[in-house]
């Protein structure tokens, strides 16, 4: 009886410590986003995914003759490349979102704004790795990031590429950062 009690104690203590240790560490080290930013999903903030999306968008119906890219945007819900066709006065969006992981969608809408005349986005100047670094840097600056959006557009005055990262922490201490194509901050 004493031998059984000693054996149960010797085996039971390490098992109990292991169970308690797994419970206090969360047991499952894989977060919902796999991003390293807590629960914030940064799946679409990936330079390989952005490169592939640009290539596919450029060869898709979004890039019909006369349409030019005007914005690339990534947030926790997906990736969007927006084109503007001044000949038809239409906005074309090429989207990949979290709700339709199978592929991309192209949507075409008539432009309803008289003064909407965006400058073409110089995609050849966009380095997806820099785009991701700007977004991740802004997220890291936020104490408790709640949501984010990273976008690339041409500056309305100069036509130069600008990358803008907006990160909300839900408490009013948002991080907003605008950089040039090299990731150098031009506005904070």
């Amino acid at each position: 009886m004493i031998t059984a009690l000693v054996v149960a104690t010797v085996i039971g203590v390490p098992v109990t410590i292991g169970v308690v240790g797994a419970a206090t560490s969360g047991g499952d080290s894989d977060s919902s986003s796999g991003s390293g930013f807590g629960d914030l999903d940064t799946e679409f903030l990936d330079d390989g995914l952005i490169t592939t999306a640009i290539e596919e968008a450029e060869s898709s119906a979004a890039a019909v003759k006369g349409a030019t890219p005007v914005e690339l945007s990534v947030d926790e819900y997906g990736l969007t490349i927006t084109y503007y066709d001044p000949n038809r006065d239409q906005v074309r969006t090429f989207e990949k979102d979290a709700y339709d992981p199978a592929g991309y969608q192209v949507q075409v809408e008539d432009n309803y704004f008289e003064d909407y005349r965006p400058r073409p986005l110089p995609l050849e100047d966009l380095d997806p790795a820099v785009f991701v670094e700007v977004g991740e840097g802004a997220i890291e600056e936020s104490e408790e990031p709640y949501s984010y959006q990273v976008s690339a557009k041409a500056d309305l005055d100069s036509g130069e590429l600008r990358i803008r990262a907006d990160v909300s922490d839900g408490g009013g201490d948002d991080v907003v950062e605008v950089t040039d194509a090299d990731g150098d901050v031009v506005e904070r």
Side-chain angles (χ1 to χ4, degrees):
M1 178 81 169
I2 293 178
T3 305
L5 182 59
V6 170
V7 170
T9 303
V10 169
I11 293 174
V13 170
V15 170
T16 304
I17 291 172
V19 170
V20 170
T24 57
S25 69
D28 183 9
S29 63
D30 185 24
S31 70
S32 63
S33 67
S35 66
F37 296 110
D39 291 334
L40 190 61
D41 190 345
T42 58
E43 171 188 359
F44 294 98
L45 198 56
D46 176 272
D47 60 339
L49 185 91
I50 292 168
T51 300
T52 301
I54 290 170
E55 290 168 358
E56 292 193 22
E58 287 291 294
S59 64
S60 76
V64 298
K65 186 175 181 178
T68 57
V70 295
E71 181 178 10
L72 179 133
S73 178
V74 173
D75 60 24
E76 60 267 28
Y77 303 109
L79 179 150
T80 303
I81 302 175
T82 304
Y83 289 79
Y84 177 64
D85 181 352
N87 300 321
R88 295 180 182 94
D89 201 20
Q90 291 178 331
V91 176
R92 299 169 178 272
T93 56
F94 179 86
E95 294 181 316
K96 178 164 182 64
D97 66 43
Y99 304 108
D100 184 15
Y104 299 96
Q105 295 180 339
V106 177
Q107 297 180 6
V108 180
E109 296 178 315
D110 289 333
N111 174 32
Y112 296 107
F113 303 100
E114 284 184 30
D115 61 347
Y116 183 70
R117 297 293 179 263
R119 294 201 62 159
L121 170 64
L123 276 176
E124 66 278 359
D125 295 342
L126 178 67
D127 181 345
V130 172
F131 183 90
V132 169
E133 286 174 19
V134 169
E136 289 179 344
I139 292 169
E140 287 173 1
E141 280 187 45
S142 177
E143 289 188 28
E144 293 185 35
Y146 176 76
S147 66
Y148 73 95
Q149 180 179 32
V150 184
S151 60
K153 292 182 182 180
D155 181 74
L156 289 177
D157 296 327
S158 69
E160 294 177 2
L161 182 124
R162 293 289 183 252
I163 301 170
R164 178 183 173 117
D166 292 276
V167 181
S168 174
D169 73 351
D173 291 328
D174 299 343
V175 174
V176 178
E177 186 173 276
V178 180
T179 74
D180 62 13
D182 296 325
D184 296 327
V185 176
V186 294
E187 183 182 326
R188 210 171 255 182

